[in-house]
């Protein structure tokens, strides 16, 4: 079983729509959680950290459910520029490495 | 000023050759990494150095050898390149453990022909 699993999508949504997707992680010792964004042929960039109480950053909302071991990302009022692959990432306490999901592709159309 | 820079950006080479990829970070981070992203888009860790000391060495063929001359540099040397080595190799850095996330370099796209 992969350590981090994501629905690969693609999610094709019109501008202005809301899109949400989850990822699940297998290691209950995971301590830190992130969403990274990766544009085609570019490096992953940190979109936001995910905190236990849930957090927002503008149009982006992240949630963490430790009991069910899943993380979610919701994008409101989608923009064309939100088209990208979103990588779910987890890190265990005192561990240097990050474990990446394979990514969820979102395409926002005009 | 680029925070994590890798060279070269593109590398096309023949099977059997030996090649190196270089990485430098100017963030003052103490930990650096090499990740490989294959055609299925999975990012998998290969190596990590913390203050020049190798701390992560995943199951990688020993044709791959990392070298960290100082904590701001981490190079990757690959011997006897094979077709299956074709991928994008990303360098990254962090301060301490990965708990605060990483900063990635822009990647080196290696194509072995």
């Amino acid at each position: 079983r992969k350590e981090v699993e994501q629905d690969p999508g693609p999610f094709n949504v019109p501008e202005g729509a809301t899109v949400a997707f989850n990822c699940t992680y297998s290691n209950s010792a995971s301590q830190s959680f992130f969403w990274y964004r990766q544009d085609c042929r570019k490096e992953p960039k940190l979109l936001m950290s995910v905190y236990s109480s849930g957090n927002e950053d503008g149009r982006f909302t992240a949630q963490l459910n430790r009991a069910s071991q899943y993380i979610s990302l919701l994008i409101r009022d989608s923009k064309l520029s939100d088209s990208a692959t979103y990588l779910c990432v987890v890190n265990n306490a005192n561990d240097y490495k990050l474990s990446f999901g394979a990514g969820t592709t979102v395409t926002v159309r005009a | 000023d680029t925070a994590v820079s890798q060279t070269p950006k593109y590398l096309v080479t023949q099977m059997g050759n030996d090649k190196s990829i270089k990485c430098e970070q100017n963030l003052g981070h103490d930990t650096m990494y090499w990740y490989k992203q294959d055609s299925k888009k999975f990012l998998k860790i290969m190596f990590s150095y913390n203050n020049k000391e190798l701390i992560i060495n995943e199951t990688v063929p020993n044709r791959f050898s990392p070298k960290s001359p100082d904590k701001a540099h981490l190079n990757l040397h690959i011997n006897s390149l094979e077709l299956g080595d074709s991928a994008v190799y990303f360098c990254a850095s962090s301060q301490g453990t990965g708990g605060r996330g990483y900063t990635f370099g822009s990647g080196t796209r290696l194509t072995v022909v």
Side-chain angles (χ1 to χ4, degrees), chain A residues 13 15 26 33 40 46 64 66 74-75 88-89 101-103 106 108:
Chain A
V13 300
E15 260 186 305
S26 61
F33 307 89
C40 189
L46 180 65
L64 167 63
R66 284 190 187 271
L74 181 145
I75 308 172
C88 177
V89 184
V106 172
V108 182

Side-chain angles (χ1 to χ4, degrees), chain B residues 81-102:
Chain B
L81 278 154
E82 300 177 358
L83 293 176
D85 297 333
S86 297
V88 182
Y89 292 84
F90 286 102
C91 177
S93 71
S94 72
Q95 182 56 34
T97 64
R100 293 183 198 164
Y102 294 168

Side-chain angles (χ1 to χ4, degrees), chain B residues 9-108:
Chain B
K9 195 170 174 62
Y10 299 97
L11 186 51
V12 181
T13 188
Q14 290 189 325
M15 272 198 309
N17 284 350
D18 303 339
K19 290 292 177 187
S20 291
I21 308 171
K22 297 188 175 185
C23 180
E24 176 181 3
Q25 55 96 3
N26 63 7
L27 297 166
H29 288 167
D30 57 9
T31 310
M32 296 183 73
Y33 311 81
W34 280 112
Y35 275 76
K36 177 180 179 181
Q37 188 170 40
D38 60 24
S39 56
K40 292 185 180 170
K41 307 299 182 190
F42 253 113
L43 268 159
K44 291 177 86 167
I45 190 158
M46 301 173 69
F47 301 104
S48 177
Y49 273 76
N50 175 260
N51 284 316
K52 301 195 297 175
E53 182 187 343
L54 182 65
I55 56 170
I56 296 177
N57 186 352
E58 295 289 291
T59 307
V60 174
N62 58 14
R63 297 182 295 103
F64 291 78
S65 52
K67 274 205 175 71
S68 181
D70 55 62
K71 73 175 193 176
H73 295 83
L74 179 61
N75 304 322
L76 183 65
H77 188 75
I78 316 170
N79 288 327
S80 304
L81 278 154
E82 300 177 358
L83 293 176
D85 297 333
S86 297
V88 182
Y89 292 84
F90 286 102
C91 177
S93 71
S94 72
Q95 182 56 34
T97 64
R100 293 183 198 164
Y102 294 168
T103 302
F104 280 88
S106 58
T108 295

Side-chain angles (χ1 to χ4, degrees), chain A residues 2-5 23-34 50 52 64-67 69-71 88-95 97-100, chain B residues 99:
Chain A
K2 293 191 178 76
E3 198 166 339
V4 181
E5 302 215 47
C23 92
T24 57
Y25 60 95
S26 61
N27 189 342
S28 58
S30 297
Q31 288 281 328
S32 303
F33 307 89
F34 310 92
V50 186
S52 296
L64 167 63
N65 185 317
R66 284 190 187 271
Q69 294 183 206
Y70 77 81
I71 307 151
C88 177
V89 184
V90 304
N91 171 251
N92 302 327
N94 302 317
D95 195 353
K97 74 174 185 182
L98 297 181
S99 296
F100 286 79

